[in-house]
Amino acid sequence: MEPFYRTIIGVARTLFAAQGLKFTISGEEHIPATGGAVIAMNHTGYMDFTYAGIPARATKRYIRFMAKKEVFDNKISGPMMRAMKHIPVDRGDASDSYRRAVEALRAGELVGVFPEETISRSFELKDFRSGAARMALEAGVPIVPMVLWGSQRVWTKGHPKRLGRTNTPIVIKVGTPISPSEATADVTAELHAVMEKMLHEVQQDYRHEPGAYWVPQRLGGSAPGRAEADAEDARVAAERRARKERERAERANDSGSGPSAPGQ
């Protein structure tokens, strides 16, 4: 029993109902009823992790999501994330979060991972990091692929939040578990191929508005293409690294400029 996590889910579902969100969920039976598993998801919007936990409730399970450290540093969201046993990720050094994720998997937990690492601005699948495959192989657990579609209409990068009553349809599909027994690169490539196929399948029955910002170019939308989106991600990442370097330099200067010794 996890009363806090269950309460948060209840509150979230009340909010989803107030927003008029219309969920279509399939494949919940593929989430293991017991034992550890990596839940690998695509990433198109900031609210993805709040929606991705819904299918696991069919088997009364909870997902421990790997989320960026900054969320845990926040004085409001931080205590909540820790209470729900989510796993903080420091993008500068992810070794500790990787270790904690493997330990959780070995303890029989479901660990939620976004292999793209960040939101896809093109809404197509980005290249996958190898972390999901590596931790599944090390822990000896399956990878369960999951795709979400429509969540980018609620809140995504570079566009205003739409948290009111929007009646947005959101599709979540859970695929057949993959049991890793090969090299990490092979597992990662298989996972990408499986999730891309699943994503295209759910998109076939979804109504897309021609020219809409949340629709990929492939489907007639105005979202940036993969190359443009990747270039913007690289630019933002470079700015983030430069800012952190400046902050480190400023802290170093501050720590080395203490009060002068007597007589100086």
Side-chain angles (χ1 to χ4, degrees):
M1 294 290 291
E2 297 197 34
F4 182 75
Y5 203 151
R6 188 174 60 181
T7 298
I8 291 298
I9 290 174
V11 171
R13 284 182 164 172
T14 299
L15 292 174
F16 299 159
Q19 292 174 289
L21 301 183
K22 303 180 186 301
F23 291 97
T24 300
I25 301 173
S26 62
E28 306 103 307
E29 68 277 7
H30 294 309
I31 296 179
T34 60
V38 174
I39 311 296
M41 303 152 287
N42 66 318
H43 204 5
T44 62
Y46 289 112
M47 302 300 290
D48 286 341
F49 76 98
T50 64
Y51 307 144
I54 297 175
R57 296 306 297 145
T59 52
K60 296 182 171 55
R61 301 203 67 186
Y62 300 93
I63 300 177
R64 316 303 176 182
F65 289 96
M66 299 185 75
K68 61 183 181 181
K69 177 178 173 291
E70 288 79 1
V71 179
F72 292 79
D73 292 338
N74 184 280
K75 63 181 181 181
I76 296 175
S77 61
M80 296 172 63
M81 295 292 281
R82 285 186 285 273
M84 290 183 282
K85 302 178 186 177
H86 296 314
I87 302 169
V89 178
D90 184 343
R91 289 180 177 175
D93 181 9
S95 58
D96 182 62
S97 59
Y98 176 87
R99 176 186 57 79
R100 292 177 62 178
V102 171
E103 289 175 353
L105 290 167
R106 286 174 172 164
E109 299 281 8
L110 302 177
V111 174
V113 179
F114 294 106
E116 298 167 280
E117 195 174 70
T118 188
I119 289 174
S120 170
R121 298 175 189 269
S122 68
F123 309 123
E124 303 282 12
L125 285 189
K126 295 167 60 67
D127 292 337
F128 280 9
R129 303 287 186 177
S130 63
R134 286 190 292 115
M135 64 178 64
L137 281 164
E138 186 169 340
V141 301
I143 305 174
V144 180
M146 179 188 296
V147 296
L148 301 91
W149 190 245
S151 61
Q152 72 272 28
R153 301 175 65 179
V154 178
W155 187 14
T156 193
K157 280 184 176 179
H159 298 280
K161 305 173 189 176
R162 299 176 67 245
L163 301 178
R165 189 169 183 82
T166 60
N167 300 319
T168 301
I170 296 175
V171 181
I172 305 175
K173 181 173 183 175
V174 184
T176 304
I178 298 170
S179 296
S181 58
E182 306 170 357
T184 301
D186 295 335
V187 176
T188 301
E190 179 185 0
L191 178 64
H192 191 284
V194 166
M195 289 179 60
E196 187 167 66
K197 182 174 184 292
M198 290 169 59
L199 184 61
H200 290 181
E201 287 172 351
V202 301
Q203 288 171 338
Q204 287 178 0
D205 297 323
Y206 198 97
R207 182 178 176 277
H208 296 97
E209 299 173 11
Y213 75 86
W214 55 269
V215 179
Q217 288 186 7
R218 174 176 53 85
L219 298 174
S222 59
R226 268 292 307 273
E228 181 185 350
D230 288 348
E232 178 64 11
D233 283 340
R235 183 191 68 79
V236 171
E239 287 185 353
R240 185 185 302 117
R241 287 193 298 270
R243 183 172 62 252
K244 288 184 176 179
E245 287 296 331
R246 288 195 300 270
E247 291 171 352
R248 277 195 288 267
E250 290 170 0
R251 287 196 296 270
N253 288 336
D254 290 342
S255 63
S257 58
S260 299
Q264 290 186 333

